Amino acid sequence: MKLRENCRYGVAAPTSMGVRITPAGGAPVHTSNSFFMQATSAETNVLNVPASLGLKGLALTNFVEGSPISLFIKSELRRRNIDYAGPDIPQGGPWGYRHQFNIADSGCGARGPRVHNDRAGEVGRVLSAGDFDFDEIFGGRGVQILHMSGLVGALSEDTGRFCLEAARAAKKNGTRISFDLNYRASFWKGREAELRAIFSEIASMADILVGNEEDFQLCLGLEGPKAGGEELAAKLGAFQEMIGRVKLAFPGAAVYATTLRQVLSANEHLWGAVTSFGEEWTVIEPRPIQVLDRIGGGDGFVSGLLYGILKGWEPERCTGFGWACGVLATTVLEDYATPADEDMVWSIYEGNARVKR
C-alpha cells in the first residue's frame, strides 16, 4: 500500500481524551485508596507505538478551558511525542463540560477486570469539523494515515458527523484511512440505523479495516463466528471466512485484520491475530501470554500494525509486530504500548524474556 511522502505526521486520530485511574497492586477499586492516573483514549493508544519510535502523531480533540485535567492531558501527550489540535471549550460552570473518567480494576487471577466509565458532560462529544482546518491538516502539514475509531464515531451525533467529514477530507488529500470498528452496545442503543449508515460509509472509504467478530457482525451486519463453543484455535477458519465476507462487502480496503483472544484467567490469555493484505493471509495462532492489565491490548495490536505499514514492511512482519505490541500493552498498567525500540517488540514476538545488559 503506497503512502504519501513528506508528511509531518505518521498517524492522526480524532479522539475524546480523558483520564484513567487504576488501583495499585492489582487491588479492586472499592477497597483501594491509592490509584495510578494516566491520560487515556483508545485512539491515542494507537498513536503511541509510531510516536514512541520516532513518527510523530496528532490527536484531534477538544479540551476544557482552564481545567487542570486538561493541562495534565496536554502534558502527557507532549511527553509521548503526540501533537494535539482542537479548541479549549469553556467549562460552563461546575455542571458543564469535563474530560471523561475511566475507573479500572485490572483484576487478578479468577477475579475478572471491571471497568466503570463516567462520561457525563464529556467535552469530546461536541467535536465539530468547523473547529479544525482539515485542508491544512491533511493537505498542508500532511498525514500518512488517519486512524478512526468506532468509539468516537458513536459518542454523539456531532462526533459521527465529525468522523465522516474527517474521513472525506483525508480521502480527498490522499491520506490513507484506518478504521477500528470498536462496537460498544451502550453507545448504539436506540441509534442502530443511524450508526450503521455512518460506520458503513467510513468502512467503504477505509484502506485498513480492523474489528473482532462482534464488531463486524453488530456494526456492519456481517456474519461471523459464534461466541463460545469450540476452542479459539479450532475457530481460526471461521475467522478467515468472516474476513472473506468483509472483503466482499467492503472491497476498497487493502488490509483487513482481527485479533483473537481467549481468557484463561485475568492474568493468562491466549492471544492471536489474522490479517489479509490483498490475497496474502497471515495467521498467528493463539499463544499463551501473561497479563498485568488487559485494557489496551487490541489498541496495541493496531498501533504496531500501522507502524509496520508506515515502515513499508511485508505483511507477515507487520502482523507479528502488531501482535507483539498488543502483548507489550498488557504488561503495563498504562493502556498503551511504549516500546523503547523495535528490538524490545521482536524479543516479545520471539518469546525471549531473558535479561539484556
Side-chain angles (χ1 to χ4, degrees), residues 77-89:
L77 290 175
R78 288 193 295 268
R79 178 182 67 82
R80 291 161 55 186
N81 198 33
I82 298 172
D83 286 352
Y84 49 83
D88 289 287
I89 294 178

Side-chain angles (χ1 to χ4, degrees), residues 53-69:
L53 297 176
L55 304 176
K56 187 170 279 294
L58 175 65
L60 306 174
T61 193
N62 290 343
F63 297 96
V64 177
E65 187 176 54
S67 163
I69 298 298

Side-chain angles (χ1 to χ4, degrees), residues 292-352:
L292 177 64
D293 186 308
R294 67 167 284 166
I295 305 301
D299 298 329
F301 168 77
V302 178
S303 191
L305 181 73
L306 294 187
Y307 178 77
I309 291 170
L310 288 163
K311 297 289 284 186
W313 292 346
E314 294 300 311
E316 184 175 358
R317 188 170 173 82
C318 292
T319 307
F321 199 81
W323 179 91
C325 285
V327 176
L328 177 59
T330 69
T331 67
V332 294
L333 281 182
E334 293 170 329
D335 52 13
Y336 50 83
T338 307
D341 47 40
E342 291 178 10
D343 184 60
M344 175 181 283
V345 178
W346 289 121
S347 292
I348 292 172
Y349 183 74
E350 293 159 4
N352 178 15

